[in-house]
Amino acid sequence: MPEFEPMQNMLTELRRGSLTLAVLGSLREPRYGYALLQTLTEQGIDIEANTLYPLLRRLESQELLTSDWDTSENRPRKYYVVSQKGKEALVQLMKEWEHMQRSISAICGKGE
Amino acid sequence: MENTIERYVYDVARRLPEKEREEVKKELRANIYDMLPENASEAEIEKVLYELGSPASLAGKYRQNPRYLISPAYYDEYVSVLKWVLPLVGVIVMVIGFITGTVMALKIDTSKYYLVATKIISQGISMGVSAAFQALIWTTVGFVIAERSGQRAEQSGKHSWRIQDLPEVQKSGQTHIPLSEGVAELVVMTVFSVIGILFCTGRLPFAMAFSEEGLHFTTVFNPDFLVLWIPAILVTFVLGVIVGITKIKDRRWSVPVCVSVVAKSLVSMAMSLYLLNQPNMFSSEFLTFLSNVGVLQALPQVNGKNVLLVVLMVLIVIGTISECVKTVTMTIKNRDK
């Protein structure tokens, strides 16, 4: 845990954009909110519930995700899955991600 | 225990647009229950809710467009306008309040001086404060309207700003005229012209004098002389408005600003000198009063004119010349760069 506060802000800033990528990628198969939170945490993505749930709602309103309420169990759960538009967005974002990773590595140098 | 969750969910949802509330409530409720074990204790519920954060902050994250009364895009301008509008309006109206307070107090009773003083001060302060609040409210309303209409323009795909609106780069010499200067000039011009015309048409009983019976009204100036002032005030007002508008438009010492300032100064100097040379300036009552007190005899005459008048005329000429020289130098400096 960095005790330097601007450092914490920089890390949060850096992660913010990639969260969309992680969420869209994980939702190639349907998941409900809390299950997605656990999946992401297991994969080492540091995201809080109060960030993820509003993000899901935003992505849904942008039609990158579709959702379905499952009422077969005793408690209703909302399942999200990536839409066709979301898949296309994911491909583009991945390209950009790789491009940026190459550029940053080239600029900052590896193992320095 | 369900009550705690319901209260939390409700507190988040009530901060959101109405059409989203039900869906967010349902989602949030499901998510919270998923985060809890079966038959969770009150302590476990509290832990989860604290993890989600305050309802206000969570609602803020749910909101698509953060809503502001006045967004950062307008905030700086809003504060800088308030900084000069509030004191200016407050002080001007307070002075008007002092004057009307004086008039009102004198009409009621002039024998008790402390009552007169209280009336004047309370009238001035209450009018000044309420005018400042009015100014605050209307400035805010104006900016909120700008904020809302600005957002709409952005949504409909237009640019939210224009290249033309970019401010000129300020040069190191102070040749820039702040917006406040032009606006202040317009406001002050209007206020003083209105007061001046009220005074000259006899609607403000300005003049008063002390005598053995206490305060009583006399007219200091001759009414025929005051009538001459009305066209002079109107001409100065029109020229002042032109100066104010060119300053607001150009915001630097441009040629139109220079011409209008010089013209205004010269015209008002000429009119003041003409008016001060009128023979029938003061009312006969006031002249009698002055000679009774002994002021007239004490002051020497220069070329048949009272020395105070001569000094006043010299001051007006010096003031006008220095104003013109300053304006012209500023304009020349501005053109050189």
Side-chain angles (χ1 to χ4, degrees):
Chain A
M1 213 36 201
E3 55 298 336
F4 180 46
E5 209 185 285
M7 190 65 222
Q8 190 59 50
N9 288 343
M10 281 192 268
L11 288 174
T12 313
E13 285 283 305
L14 189 59
R15 283 176 195 144
R16 188 172 294 152
S18 53
L19 288 181
T20 312
L21 207 54
V23 169
L24 289 177
S26 318
L27 288 178
R28 277 181 282 213
E29 49 194 273
R31 282 196 170 92
Y32 61 91
Y34 187 57
L36 176 61
L37 185 70
Q38 285 176 314
T39 314
L40 290 173
T41 314
E42 277 162 27
Q43 301 288 334
I45 299 281
D46 191 13
I47 185 168
E48 285 180 47
N50 59 18
T51 307
L52 178 64
Y53 300 152
L55 177 60
L56 286 173
R57 193 167 173 74
R58 190 150 52 245
L59 293 175
E60 191 189 353
S61 75
Q62 290 165 348
E63 297 170 0
L64 299 174
L65 297 179
T66 54
S67 69
D68 220 350
W69 282 96
D70 176 14
T71 47
S72 59
E73 290 185 46
N74 58 349
R75 268 209 318 264
R77 271 176 179 155
K78 196 178 188 180
Y79 278 81
Y80 297 89
V81 71
V82 69
S83 68
Q84 188 53 44
K85 198 173 159 187
K87 281 178 190 158
E88 288 160 17
L90 183 58
V91 171
Q92 275 201 348
L93 288 172
M94 270 313 285
K95 260 190 210 157
E96 183 61 27
W97 172 261
E98 281 158 13
H99 173 76
M100 267 177 53
Q101 203 177 17
R102 274 198 306 274
S103 307
I104 299 290
S105 303
I107 292 167
C108 302
K110 281 184 180 171
E112 208 184 306
Chain B
M1 72 166 232
E2 276 169 18
N3 189 30
T4 317
I5 296 174
E6 276 315 303
R7 275 164 52 203
Y8 183 87
V9 169
Y10 167 77
D11 201 15
V12 174
R14 74 185 176 91
R15 296 161 200 270
L16 296 173
E18 202 157 348
K19 59 181 195 307
E20 289 183 33
R21 278 182 204 158
E22 279 315 306
E23 185 70 9
V24 170
K25 271 186 183 172
K26 227 170 126 184
E27 265 178 47
L28 197 54
R29 206 180 285 128
N31 285 327
I32 291 172
Y33 280 111
D34 277 332
M35 291 164 90
L36 289 167
E38 285 294 320
N39 300 318
S41 69
E42 190 69 23
E44 283 168 316
I45 292 173
E46 281 179 13
K47 185 171 168 281
V48 165
L49 296 185
Y50 278 125
E51 213 174 295
L52 285 173
S54 80
S57 75
L58 186 58
K61 289 179 179 175
Y62 267 109
R63 234 177 265 133
Q64 309 279 328
N65 304 317
R67 284 183 313 176
Y68 298 96
L69 190 60
I70 290 157
S71 69
Y74 288 95
Y75 190 73
D76 285 348
E77 237 173 305
Y78 173 65
V79 171
S80 68
V81 169
L82 282 187
K83 264 188 200 157
W84 63 263
V85 163
L86 292 196
L88 187 72
V89 171
V91 168
I92 290 175
V93 176
M94 191 167 74
V95 170
I96 297 175
F98 285 146
I99 295 166
T100 55
T102 315
V103 174
M104 283 161 70
L106 293 177
K107 274 185 188 153
I108 301 164
D109 188 2
T110 54
S111 57
K112 297 194 179 75
Y113 290 108
Y114 63 94
L115 281 183
V116 174
T118 325
K119 181 75 199 164
I120 293 171
I121 291 169
S122 68
Q123 181 79 7
I125 290 175
S126 72
M127 277 180 70
V129 169
S130 82
F133 270 110
Q134 287 274 337
L136 173 67
I137 290 167
W138 289 111
T139 311
T140 311
V141 167
F143 271 90
V144 169
I145 291 170
E147 174 78 40
R148 298 288 173 262
S149 53
Q151 259 183 10
R152 233 169 287 133
E154 217 165 322
Q155 277 160 8
S156 60
K158 275 183 242 156
H159 294 298
S160 58
W161 64 288
R162 295 179 307 162
I163 298 284
Q164 299 95 285
D165 295 339
L166 290 176
E168 295 280 334
V169 175
Q170 279 194 41
K171 289 154 192 153
S172 49
Q174 280 297 306
T175 52
H176 172 84
I177 306 175
L179 176 61
S180 51
E181 192 178 318
V183 177
E185 204 157 321
L186 284 183
V187 173
V188 171
M189 211 60 221
T190 313
V191 170
F192 283 104
S193 301
V194 170
I195 293 176
I197 286 181
L198 287 178
F199 175 55
C200 292
T201 51
R203 290 193 172 80
L204 281 185
F206 245 59
M208 65 197 97
F210 292 95
S211 71
E212 292 87 62
E213 301 102 64
L215 272 173
H216 72 96
F217 295 109
T218 49
T219 40
V220 174
F221 294 105
N222 188 330
D224 296 337
F225 171 68
L226 286 183
V227 169
L228 287 176
W229 274 92
I230 296 173
I233 291 173
L234 288 177
V235 171
T236 315
F237 173 69
V238 171
L239 290 173
V241 168
I242 293 172
V243 170
I245 289 173
T246 48
K247 277 187 181 171
I248 290 173
K249 211 175 123 268
D250 290 356
R251 302 262 205 105
R252 63 194 177 83
W253 291 99
S254 63
V255 175
V257 172
C258 174
V259 170
S260 63
V261 170
V262 171
K264 185 200 151 203
S265 311
L266 293 178
V267 170
S268 37
M269 178 183 76
M271 286 188 309
S272 311
L273 293 182
Y274 170 74
L275 289 169
L276 290 177
N277 278 300
Q278 293 301 302
N280 56 348
M281 207 163 143
F282 295 110
S283 65
S284 49
E285 295 104 308
F286 189 63
L287 286 176
T288 325
F289 168 75
L290 286 182
S291 54
N292 284 349
V293 179
V295 179
L296 279 186
Q297 293 85 338
L299 290 167
Q301 303 272 314
V302 180
N303 287 340
K305 295 219 168 291
N306 193 298
V307 71
L308 280 184
L309 273 184
V310 177
V311 170
L312 187 59
M313 287 193 285
V314 170
L315 284 180
I316 289 174
V317 173
I318 292 175
T320 308
I321 291 172
S322 70
E323 167 97 21
C324 291
V325 169
K326 187 195 117 195
T327 309
V328 172
T329 350
M330 285 298 230
T331 312
I332 291 169
K333 243 199 254 170
N334 192 38
R335 296 198 84 184
D336 282 348
K337 286 188 183 164

